[in-house]
Amino acid sequence: MRIVFLGPPGVGKGTQAAQLQALLGVPHVSTGNILRAAIQQEGSPLGREVRRFVENGRLVPDDLMGDLIAERLERKDATAGFILDGFPRTLEQVSILEGVLGRLGLALDRVLMLVVPETEIVRRLSGRRTCPKCGTVFHLESRPPAAPGVCDECGSALVQRTDDTEQVIRERMKVYAGQTLPVADAYRAKGILVEVDGFGEVEAVRSRLTSGLGRV
Ligand code: AMP
């Protein structure tokens, strides 16, 4: 299965993709996680280059993202499939992805788009806490860690993403509406977009997503 996950920031893509990865046995490729790891890694040239974009909620330039995604999808573990989370985010990235997959003789199976009301997004983002080490996502109300501030999976101290502040959230929503919604339209036109209601419990959304996988 080669799947793209679409949806606004905070809609639950990361949480759902991590669960689907276990279910489908294909890697969860999150461009946001890759960029954040590079930023945290001392001396990383990629990290230096992308830091100011990520921290301000702006998109990293398409050519840089294209190199990154080509390198990732050409790795052996992605040949049987992948769940792409956070890419493509622009129409140019749609073409880049098509080019990379075309060279590998592959094509996308589904584009799953999670949809929730905007008030819910603000609630989710402001309560979100993430593990900087293993990437597990928690929420202060709906998915609190067993011990406050500590990752259940690896014991690291949880952090609030620096781009989960009100001002940056607003910028990310603007970027999504302007640049990423046209991506959904492009996939709708290709007939592979499935829209899924992302409101409610994680398990309920997951079962809607898995039934969406069988539907186009
Ligand atoms: P995410 O974790 O997917 O919300 O991504 C966090 C940030 O990483 C975004 O706000 C962008 O600054 C950057 N980013 C992630 N994926 C992309 C992409 N496909 N194109 C450009 N920038 C990206």
Side-chain angles (χ1 to χ4, degrees):
M1 270 279 180
R2 279 170 282 276
I3 301 167
V4 162
F5 249 33
L6 278 183
V11 76
K13 298 186 297 291
T15 302
Q16 293 294 341
Q19 299 206 0
L20 271 188
Q21 152 177 277
L23 201 74
L24 300 174
V26 295
H28 166 206
V29 177
S30 157
T31 47
N33 285 353
I34 295 172
L35 296 174
R36 278 185 291 277
I39 290 170
Q40 268 163 29
Q41 200 189 324
E42 199 146 338
S44 154
L46 175 66
R48 252 201 322 272
E49 217 167 332
V50 302
R51 177 189 292 275
R52 71 196 156 89
F53 293 104
V54 175
E55 290 186 346
N56 294 314
R58 286 186 287 117
L59 292 184
V60 171
D62 288 333
D63 54 345
L64 205 63
M65 292 307 300
D67 292 346
L68 185 150
I69 209 71
E71 189 275 325
R72 181 63 190 87
L73 295 186
E74 279 159 13
R75 274 196 237 159
K76 205 157 166 244
D77 69 335
T79 49
F82 51 76
I83 303 166
L84 258 187
D85 160 14
F87 190 98
R89 264 175 150 99
T90 64
L91 287 175
E92 176 61 24
Q93 292 182 11
V94 171
S95 311
I96 291 172
L97 180 59
E98 222 166 64
V100 172
L101 293 180
R103 274 201 304 281
L104 297 169
L106 304 170
L108 286 179
D109 294 298
R110 295 277 188 288
V111 176
L112 296 172
M113 178 164 165
L114 279 173
V115 187
V116 300
E118 198 169 323
T119 47
E120 172 67 5
I121 291 193
V122 173
R123 188 196 73 81
R124 288 187 188 186
L125 288 175
S126 51
R128 174 157 78 177
R129 298 293 182 272
T130 48
C131 175
K133 188 144 177 248
C134 72
T136 306
V137 182
F138 297 86
H139 190 277
L140 294 181
E141 291 159 13
S142 47
R143 197 197 171 192
V150 180
C151 178
D152 292 353
E153 303 298 325
C154 72
S156 303
L158 299 178
V159 296
Q160 180 165 29
R161 278 172 49 168
T162 52
D163 58 351
D164 277 348
T165 60
E166 202 184 321
Q167 194 192 348
V168 182
I169 289 171
R170 241 183 270 127
E171 177 64 22
R172 288 160 66 205
M173 300 292 283
K174 211 166 74 193
V175 167
Y176 179 76
Q179 312 234 56
T180 309
L181 278 182
V183 169
D185 294 336
Y187 286 129
R188 190 177 291 113
K190 287 179 199 281
I192 56 171
L193 184 78
V194 181
E195 287 182 65
V196 176
D197 178 8
F199 196 68
E201 299 291 323
V202 172
E203 288 71 28
V205 177
R206 189 185 53 215
S207 88
R208 276 178 232 142
L209 279 170
T210 45
S211 55
L213 281 176
R215 178 162 43 93
V216 158

